[in-house]
Amino acid sequence: MAILNGETRTGVTTMRIDAGLDTGDMLLKTEIEIGPEEKRRRTRARLAAVGADLLVETLAGLAAGAIVRRSRTPHRPPTPAC
């Protein structure tokens, strides 16, 4: 959706799971720039790579007790990147 909406940035977030859909506290997030001619396939591949790195970072941070959970902003639901 980010590309279709003309956005220039998108990203991935790790979060806690709770009873709602996409309502758990955020743990970590990272963003990437979307190039002006970038296609969905390329953006998805880049998000998968940064998402994998972010997952490793999140798990290490949770194990070390170094991650501060942040509540989600209720008025801005998540949007799929592609």
Side-chain angles (χ1 to χ4, degrees):
M1 295 301 285
I3 291 175
L4 295 175
N5 290 338
E7 296 177 33
T8 59
R9 297 189 65 75
T10 189
V12 293
T13 303
T14 53
M15 58 193 244
R16 304 251 330 158
I17 296 174
D18 67 7
L21 178 63
D22 287 336
T23 57
D25 290 345
M26 291 190 304
L27 301 173
L28 295 177
K29 66 180 181 176
T30 189
E31 293 185 347
I32 60 171
E33 300 247 351
I34 300 172
E37 301 298 318
E38 192 162 345
K39 304 293 185 210
R40 286 188 312 180
R41 180 176 288 171
R42 171 79 176 128
T43 303
R44 262 195 300 240
R46 292 176 55 223
L47 287 171
V50 298
D53 290 342
L54 188 66
L55 180 57
V56 170
E57 182 181 350
T58 300
L59 293 173
L62 287 170
I67 292 184
V68 176
R69 295 165 37 175
R70 292 172 279 169
S71 294
R72 303 274 305 242
T73 305
H75 66 278
R76 182 154 190 230
T79 57
C82 305

